[in-house]
């Protein structure tokens, strides 16, 4: 087998069938009007399972993007150890 040669598995660019099926099933649940009525009722009663609700929405509609801001100060040292690090010495 030559280096860089793919000899099996999915062809490049083909979507994973299991992922597509899971997304379609979750979308069907989330888009169902009866589910949404039940969801609103459970939310008013405080009976939601947050992790499951979150997972269903992420599979159905996609996970929101997260913005990460890093403050880089040009005067800060590139590497600094906190005072009192045991077992670490810099020469």
């Amino acid at each position: 087998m030559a280096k860089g040669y793919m000899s099996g598995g999915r062809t490049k660019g083909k979507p994973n069938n299991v992922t597509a099926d899971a997304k379609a099933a979750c979308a069907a649940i989330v888009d169902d009007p009866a589910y949404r009525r039940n969801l609103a009722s459970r939310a008013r009663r405080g009976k939601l399972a947050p992790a499951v609700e979150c997972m269903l929405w992420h599979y159905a509609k996609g996970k929101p993007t997260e913005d990460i801001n890093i403050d880089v100060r040009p005067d800060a040292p590139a590497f600094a150890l906190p005072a009192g690090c045991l077992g670490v010495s810099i020469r």
Side-chain angles (χ1 to χ4, degrees):
M1 176 187 314
K3 185 176 181 179
Y5 178 74
M6 194 169 141
S7 63
R10 265 192 336 267
T11 57
K12 187 175 181 178
K14 182 178 179 187
N16 186 334
N17 292 337
V18 175
T19 302
D21 292 345
K23 183 174 181 171
C26 291
I29 292 169
V30 170
D31 292 336
D32 183 22
Y35 168 80
R36 291 190 179 202
R37 283 191 302 273
N38 186 295
L39 173 65
S41 173
R42 287 183 289 141
R44 283 187 214 101
R45 291 182 285 139
K47 301 289 185 182
L48 294 177
V52 174
E53 289 293 337
C54 185
M55 184 182 68
L56 282 175
W57 281 94
H58 285 181
Y59 274 125
K61 303 298 182 184
K63 186 175 179 183
T65 59
E66 296 179 16
D67 292 331
I68 300 173
N69 297 319
I70 300 174
D71 182 21
V72 178
R73 289 174 270 148
D75 59 333
F79 180 78
L81 290 174
C85 282
L86 300 176
V88 177
S89 61
I90 299 177
R91 297 180 195 181

